[in-house]
Amino acid sequence: VVEELTKFARAPFRWAALDFAGHGDSRPIPGEGPADWRSFGADVNGAVAQLRKDSNVVVGVGHSMGGAALLLSHLSGESFSRLVLFEPIVGLERHKGDFLSPLAQMALRRKASWESPLKVQEYLASRKAFSRFDPRALAALGVGGVRSSPDGTSLVLKCDPQAEARIYPGQDTTLFNRLPQVSVPCDVIVGEHSPAPLDHAHFQAVRAALNASSGDSPPIVAKGCGHFMVMEDPRFA
């Protein structure tokens, strides 16, 4: 994504990519049980405080849970000048059905260790979820998403399945009703092929709730993409 941004930037910019707690090289998710998504908003607050030392203009770009974390951060301290939100996980409680528990169970069943970098790439290439990923994104996931095991005999996921399973049930169910309080312009992007409940109708409602800060324009549709649009077509991002 950053590679694509540099092609179109009209002025130099500084960027920072954040590993949330339980992801990448960051600390473990605090506590036990469902992860409180407000803690992810606090992660963003800490990063933005550093960026604010160099600039008064900070644009937040977030996907999925990351988009929700940007909203939580901004609502707690008005951190950003603008938000770009790729299918932020907001308002699922408005739909009937339990959509997140199956994702948690899927995470617990996920393969989490491999014998070599080649085996990591072969596994990722074989999974339907990653079938539309841009080759650069798939390669980056295969390198940046794993680390050596403590005994050095294998590669393991940085986002441990047990930790990931704690994330899904911890979403902030008050966030949707607080969207009218967001005070900065927001762009909401939805994948053309994203299935319900994360479909165009859902994000039309999210966009409408942000109307006070962003007008009444509809969500932007990422043509040919699904929920993982940022990794599927970085040029669109």
Side-chain angles (χ1 to χ4, degrees), residues 20-22 27-36 38-40 43 166:
F20 289 104
R27 72 188 189 284
I29 297 172
E32 298 180 357
D36 187 339
R38 290 174 298 181
S39 70
F40 300 131
D43 288 342
R166 292 178 54 199

Side-chain angles (χ1 to χ4, degrees), residues 172-187:
D172 189 323
T173 57
T174 72
L175 182 54
F176 182 86
N177 289 334
R178 291 190 287 147
L179 292 181
Q181 301 172 29
V182 175
S183 59
V184 295
C186 298
D187 298 303

Side-chain angles (χ1 to χ4, degrees), residues 6-220:
T6 58
K7 297 177 183 178
F8 302 104
R10 297 178 180 177
F13 66 94
R14 179 186 176 193
W15 64 273
L18 172 65
D19 282 343
F20 289 104
H23 296 74
D25 297 315
S26 287
R27 72 188 189 284
I29 297 172
E32 298 180 357
D36 187 339
W37 284 25
R38 290 174 298 181
S39 70
F40 300 131
D43 288 342
V44 175
N45 288 341
V48 172
Q50 295 298 314
L51 294 172
R52 282 284 184 191
K53 294 178 181 179
D54 300 323
S55 176
N56 289 325
V57 179
V58 179
V59 177
V61 181
H63 169 253
S64 197
M65 184 204 76
L70 294 182
L71 289 164
L72 289 166
S73 169
H74 189 76
L75 286 168
S76 70
E78 299 198 353
S79 309
F80 295 98
S81 306
R82 188 181 193 95
L83 294 174
V84 181
L85 307 169
F86 292 86
E87 296 199 2
I89 303 301
V90 179
L92 288 184
E93 68 281 353
R94 300 172 63 249
H95 302 279
K96 293 182 179 180
D98 181 1
F99 305 105
L100 297 179
S101 291
L103 294 177
Q105 293 301 314
M106 189 183 302
L108 291 172
R109 296 192 299 268
R110 181 169 296 130
K111 183 177 175 62
S113 65
W114 298 267
E115 297 82 8
S116 68
L118 177 60
K119 292 296 184 182
V120 175
Q121 292 293 344
E122 288 177 349
Y123 173 80
L124 295 176
S126 72
R127 308 304 294 177
K128 183 179 179 180
F130 307 129
S131 62
R132 291 204 295 249
F133 271 37
D134 183 280
R136 292 170 296 172
L138 197 65
L141 178 60
V143 174
V146 297
R147 62 163 63 93
S148 294
S149 61
D151 62 8
T153 62
S154 62
L155 295 170
V156 297
L157 279 178
K158 289 182 177 180
C159 186
D160 178 73
Q162 295 284 341
E164 184 181 352
R166 292 178 54 199
I167 293 171
Y168 295 108
Q171 67 163 327
D172 189 323
T173 57
T174 72
L175 182 54
F176 182 86
N177 289 334
R178 291 190 287 147
L179 292 181
Q181 301 172 29
V182 175
S183 59
V184 295
C186 298
D187 298 303
V188 177
I189 302 95
V190 57
E192 180 182 21
H193 301 307
S194 294
L198 297 177
D199 56 8
H200 189 275
H202 174 78
F203 288 105
Q204 178 69 54
V206 171
R207 186 64 186 74
L210 291 164
N211 180 65
S213 62
S214 304
D216 59 359
S217 59
I220 299 167

